[in-house]
Amino acid sequence: MTASAPSRKRTAYQFVVPNSELAPKTGRDLIATLLAITGHPSLIDAARLCVSEVITHSYLHTPTARLHVDVSVRPGHVSVAVRDDEWPERPASVSYGVKLDEGRGRGFLLLSRLSAEWGVVTWPAAEEECVHKRVWFTLDEAASAA
């Protein structure tokens, strides 16, 4: 009888981190550990940078108490989504007109360069004048190797 390797399938993980100055580091450490133990070491650096940018954006621009980090791991791919509990108003549309000599505003530019795909989804909250926002990105091992 020969033992075969277990088939790798899609596995989902969920984390909740407090929206504080420690949130970006917490997110970086969580994603790095998860990718290391699930066999995606080549994606760790890009994932750490992307998740840090998305969490920092939420920390700077929303009063939400918690950030929800959803990670989907499958062979060759990792998808990450960060969801805010609430925004006091609809977020402004994303601008790609970033000046490289500015100190801020490069987070979405980094996402577009490091990820295979990314996006922002908003939907109404129960409270009037509030919306939920989810920023997601997908990393691809084949694309990152190129």
Side-chain angles (χ1 to χ4, degrees):
M1 175 186 229
T2 59
S4 62
S7 66
R8 292 179 59 192
K9 58 180 180 170
R10 179 180 165 171
T11 307
Y13 302 86
Q14 295 180 324
F15 305 100
V16 178
V17 298
N19 191 16
S20 71
E21 65 277 355
L22 295 177
K25 179 179 178 0
T26 303
R28 286 191 305 269
D29 292 349
L30 285 169
I31 197 73
T33 300
L34 180 61
L35 295 185
I37 64 174
T38 58
H40 295 82
S42 66
L43 298 178
I44 291 174
D45 290 339
R48 284 174 53 90
L49 185 54
C50 289
V51 81
S52 184
E53 289 297 328
V54 173
I55 289 175
T56 297
H57 179 78
S58 292
Y59 173 66
L60 293 175
H61 300 290
T62 182
T64 188
R66 292 175 308 278
L67 299 173
H68 304 267
V69 182
D70 299 318
V71 183
S72 175
V73 178
R74 61 188 194 276
H77 302 278
V78 174
S79 297
V80 178
V82 176
R83 180 175 53 85
D84 309 323
D85 280 337
E86 65 182 72
W87 280 65
E89 57 190 46
R90 183 165 297 282
S93 61
V94 176
S95 170
Y96 293 101
V98 176
K99 295 180 183 175
L100 295 179
D101 59 345
E102 291 180 359
R104 295 176 54 179
R106 294 187 209 116
F108 290 130
L109 181 62
L110 283 170
L111 280 179
S112 67
R113 293 213 174 145
L114 294 175
S115 66
E117 56 184 344
W118 69 279
V120 179
V121 179
T122 61
W123 65 95
E127 308 83 23
E128 268 187 53
E129 305 297 322
C130 287
V131 296
H132 295 285
K133 182 174 66 83
R134 181 176 177 258
V135 180
W136 60 271
F137 60 89
T138 300
L139 301 173
D140 182 289
E141 287 177 349
S144 69

